[in-house]
Each structure stands twice: as structure tokens, then as C-alpha cells.
Amino acid sequence: YIVPDSITMGESENYTKNNQFSTSNNLRMARNLGKERRSVSIAIGYSLNKGDGDGTNNSVTKYSDATPDLVIDQKRKTDTDNRTARFSASYNEPLGKNKILSLSYNFQKNTSDRGNDVRKKDPITGDYTLIDSAYARVTKTSYVNHNIRLRLQGGKYNDPWFYSISFGLNPVTSKSRVSLMDSLIEDITQKTLDYSPEFIVRRNFTESSSLTLRYSGNTSQPGITQLSADTIILSALSKQVGNPNLRTTYRNNVSMDYNQSDFESGRMFAVIGSFNYTFNDIVADRTIDNRGNSLNTYRNVDGQMSSYLYIMLNTPFRNKKFSISVNPNATFNKYIG
């Protein structure tokens, strides 16, 4: 039955039962090395997340023209095994009286195995024994991340001048293998290099008046799923496919914070502002045809931005029994999707 004036109508019923187990362990050690502010620290960690699930998926899609109905009648069994190993080390070396040089290294390896066994009904026996090749997949992925950061810090945060300059490199190797039974569908290996600069400068004019400026930037690469050209059928009306041509995303953030207060008079004034802009952001892209079928993928866009400005003014009257407070603020967000 088609609802009047409709092009497509779909009905679906799904049932899933899942079992999940997870554990996480961490150990951290730190030690001073004799000289003031000279120190070293080491941390290790491991986490495990395993699960399995059983379920059914039934859906019928009807079209208003002579196109045959699309019927999905499946039984699913899903097994997942996610493991993460972490290691980090840092070393701090004082340079003179007011400077300190820090070097840190972080390593993380993630492995994920996911088996999606999907069966459809055998028209002869009526049992769910036939592999549904459009849905059944075995996916094995691994991510190896190295993060190296060098930081130079001058002064203490409450000194008249304080600054911190750092730069991080993040080599990443990711691998993904997608197979159906003994057939390899896709085998992707990706090696990328992310970077993240950061700069902070703070001027303390008095004990109760300061100005802080910050800039940070970081890059990120598209994930394996976003790059994969293997089409995943989500339902009779919906398919998903990655985009192998996605480019690196670069995010920028600039912020400032000025505050001034007089505790004797009770007068306070503050200005806080920030601005964010992203190059080559990765967004979801959906195309829907005139029959309601959708194709979901990803693409890069420029122009994602947001900004924020907040002003706070609080001043008491002469007798200090009453005060007036003004808090104007403004936000601007631009999202492209």
C-alpha cells in the first residue's frame, strides 16, 4: 500500500541483542632528577573492548510505479574486538632561572577486528544459511600514532611576562582490510604527518590585571572509513561510500582574555573573545534522488567558522550596598554541510 501522493514507502523492523566487556589499565611514574624543575615521567596503558551481537533485520520498500518491491530479510551476527596500547614519556630541562624546555613523546596503537556475518533465507529450505554478500564483511583496522612535542616556556604564569611556544609532529600509519569470506574487497594503507603549533603569551600588568593571547592549530587526516571506496548498503534506500580524494583538515583557533579588577572598590571588567576557522573540513554529503534513494559520502569544505565575544562590567555604587552589572555577549557560527 502506497500513501497517496507519495513516491516511496518503507517499513522496517530490527532486533539486536548485544554482550559487551571492557577493561582499562594505566600506570604512571614520575621522578625529579636532582636539579630544580628537572624531571622525567613515564606512563603506560592498555584497554580492551570486546562484544558480540545477534539480531534480525526485516524491511520492505514499495515504489509508486511498476518497480518491484525491495525486500530485506536477514539474520546478523557481529563480533568486535578493539584493543589499545599506550606509552608516553616526558622530560623537563630548566634553562636558566625562568625558562624550561620540555620534550614529550606519546605512542598509541589501536587494533580493531569486526566480523559482520549476515545471512539471508534459503528459498528452498527456509533457513538463514545463504551469505548476503551486499552486507557481510570482515574488517580489520589498525592505527599507529606517534606524537612528538617540543615546548619552550618562559617565566611563571603569574610573572609580569609569561610565554609558551610549542610544536608537535604526529606521524600516523593506518591500515584497513575488508574481506568477504576468502575474497579481499579492499586493502588500504595510509601514512600521514599531522602537526600542531601553539603559542601563548600573558602580560600581568598588576596582581589583578592581565592580558592573555593564545593561538593553536592542528591538522587531522580523514579516517579509513571516510576514504574507503567500498559501498556499504545501510538499507534498501540508503548506501554509504567513502571518498578517496579527501584532503587534510587544518583547524585554527585564536583567543584573547583581558581582565581588570579592584577588590577594594569591588569594580571588575573583563573581555573574552575567540575565533575559529577550519580549512578543508570533512563533512557528510548526502544525495537523494527523485525516488527517495540516498547516497551518503564525504567531501571537503572551506569556511567553517565560529566566533565569540563576551564583556563583563560590574561596578558598585558609592555606598557599595548596590552595584550594577552589564554582560553583553555575541556569537557567530557558520556551518557548511
Side-chain angles (χ1 to χ4, degrees), residues 215-247:
Y215 167 78
S216 63
N218 66 84
T219 61
S220 62
Q221 309 296 329
I224 289 291
T225 302
Q226 295 172 323
L227 291 170
S228 175
D230 180 40
T231 301
I232 301 173
I233 301 176
L234 303 175
S235 69
L237 288 175
S238 181
K239 297 180 180 180
Q240 180 173 306
V241 63
N243 179 0
N245 299 314
L246 291 173
R247 301 186 300 275

Side-chain angles (χ1 to χ4, degrees), residues 20-253:
Q20 204 79 17
F21 170 80
S22 63
T23 180
S24 181
N25 303 277
N26 298 279
L27 175 65
R28 179 177 175 83
M29 297 172 287
R31 182 178 178 84
N32 293 322
L33 300 179
K35 188 176 180 179
E36 184 181 1
R37 296 195 297 169
R38 177 185 288 166
S39 62
V40 62
S41 65
I42 297 175
I44 56 176
Y46 180 80
S47 59
L48 170 67
N49 193 318
K50 300 186 68 172
D52 61 78
D54 296 281
T56 59
N57 180 22
N58 298 278
S59 70
V60 179
T61 304
K62 300 177 181 291
Y63 298 98
S64 59
D65 56 18
T67 303
D69 295 348
L70 294 177
V71 179
I72 297 176
D73 184 7
Q74 304 169 330
K75 280 193 173 182
R76 298 170 174 262
K77 181 175 177 57
T78 303
D79 294 297
T80 59
D81 188 327
N82 301 313
R83 300 168 187 260
T84 302
R86 298 176 297 274
F87 171 79
S88 64
S90 64
Y91 176 76
N92 298 320
E93 176 64 30
L95 302 177
K97 182 179 179 180
N98 296 318
K99 297 183 181 65
I100 187 168
L101 186 67
S102 301
L103 178 64
S104 63
Y105 170 72
N106 292 274
F107 168 84
Q108 181 168 303
K109 182 177 182 180
N110 302 84
T111 59
S112 176
D113 294 344
R114 184 177 189 274
N116 193 24
D117 187 348
V118 183
R119 307 280 174 152
K120 58 185 178 181
K121 186 180 292 185
D122 187 321
I124 299 176
T125 65
D127 297 325
Y128 292 88
T129 57
L130 301 180
I131 290 289
D132 197 332
S133 59
Y135 294 84
R137 295 288 188 272
V138 174
T139 305
K140 297 179 179 290
T141 60
S142 67
Y143 294 85
V144 178
N145 300 284
H146 305 268
N147 184 276
I148 305 166
R149 178 169 290 275
L150 185 65
R151 181 187 303 274
L152 176 63
Q153 177 180 311
K156 296 181 180 179
Y157 199 70
N158 292 323
D159 288 347
W161 284 97
F162 167 85
Y163 66 85
S164 174
I165 305 171
S166 70
F167 188 82
L169 291 176
N170 184 207
V172 180
T173 301
S174 54
K175 297 180 180 181
S176 176
R177 288 174 60 89
V178 181
S179 58
L180 171 62
M181 303 296 287
D182 295 329
S183 301
L184 183 63
I185 297 175
E186 193 171 63
D187 190 353
I188 299 176
T189 298
Q190 182 187 28
K191 294 184 178 181
T192 61
L193 180 65
D194 298 332
Y195 56 91
S196 53
E198 184 182 68
F199 174 74
I200 302 174
V201 60
R202 178 180 174 90
R203 176 70 168 104
N204 293 302
F205 302 103
T206 65
E207 292 184 355
S208 57
S209 175
S210 65
L211 172 66
T212 305
L213 301 175
R214 297 181 179 88
Y215 167 78
S216 63
N218 66 84
T219 61
S220 62
Q221 309 296 329
I224 289 291
T225 302
Q226 295 172 323
L227 291 170
S228 175
D230 180 40
T231 301
I232 301 173
I233 301 176
L234 303 175
S235 69
L237 288 175
S238 181
K239 297 180 180 180
Q240 180 173 306
V241 63
N243 179 0
N245 299 314
L246 291 173
R247 301 186 300 275
T248 299
T249 298
Y250 186 69
R251 297 179 178 86
N252 299 267
N253 173 262

